[in-house]
Amino acid sequence: MKYRKVFWYFYGFLFAISGFVNMFPLEEFKLFAFIQFLCGITVFVLNYLGKIETKNPT
C-alpha cells in the first residue's frame, strides 16, 4: 500500500515540474504546459488528502 502512495507523490511531483519547466520562456502563454502543471498539483493534493487510495471491498 505504501508503494502506491509514494508512486503517486512522485508522479504528481514529476508531472508538475515538467509542466512548470515547459512554461518557460514566458514569451507566450503555453496552455498545455499550464494544464500539465495543474494536473500534477491536483494529483499531489488528491494523494495527500487520500482520495486516490483504493478501498478494499472485503
Side-chain angles (χ1 to χ4, degrees):
M1 298 295 175
K2 179 115 174 120
Y3 295 115
R4 285 188 204 146
K5 196 160 195 77
V6 171
F7 168 77
W8 284 113
Y9 275 125
F10 180 72
Y11 183 77
F13 180 73
L14 192 65
F15 212 60
I17 292 299
S18 176
F20 185 73
V21 168
N22 286 333
M23 281 194 276
F24 291 102
L26 291 175
E27 295 157 353
E28 63 183 51
F29 182 72
K30 297 176 182 153
L31 183 62
F32 178 74
F34 184 70
I35 291 171
Q36 186 178 7
F37 177 73
L38 287 180
C39 286
I41 295 297
T42 303
V43 168
F44 198 83
V45 169
L46 287 176
N47 190 35
Y48 179 76
L49 295 175
K51 302 293 183 183
I52 296 180
E53 296 174 1
T54 56
K55 308 291 185 219
N56 192 358
T58 57

